[in-house]
Amino acid sequence: MKRPEREAAVRQIMERAPAPVPPDLCAEAVRRGERLLRRGRQVRRVLWLLAWALAVAFGVWVARVHPWTQPPSRTTPLTGW
């Protein structure tokens, strides 16, 4: 399709009457947008709750296990050789 043909096709499309818009389009868009925002807020809350629970679990584990200390020796050190 050459440029003049494309321009003619575009003009023809633009001269048509605009497509009818459903009357409840705005209300539907608002409803869907609110639902998406609500879901995003819920996901963020769940993720923060999960992060908090992991931090608490890690703190309890560290308090009980003391991973920074050296484990006890399994053999008696040789002295007096």
Side-chain angles (χ1 to χ4, degrees):
M1 200 180 240
K2 295 183 180 177
R3 184 177 177 132
E5 294 171 350
R6 283 186 289 170
E7 287 178 0
V10 168
R11 281 194 195 98
Q12 197 176 31
I13 291 171
M14 292 180 70
E15 288 173 354
R16 290 185 199 159
V21 178
D24 64 336
L25 181 66
C26 181
E28 181 70 19
V30 168
R31 187 180 65 77
R32 286 184 180 186
E34 287 174 349
R35 186 176 63 206
L36 284 173
L37 289 174
R38 192 169 43 250
R39 273 194 192 149
R41 203 175 310 130
Q42 288 173 345
V43 167
R44 278 191 301 277
R45 284 180 184 165
V46 167
L47 289 176
W48 275 111
L49 180 64
L50 179 63
W52 182 83
L54 287 173
V56 169
F58 179 74
V60 169
W61 174 75
V62 164
R64 296 203 54 181
V65 175
H66 300 287
W68 57 86
T69 59
Q70 195 172 25
S73 175
R74 294 180 189 226
T75 60
T76 308
L78 298 174
T79 56
W81 267 75

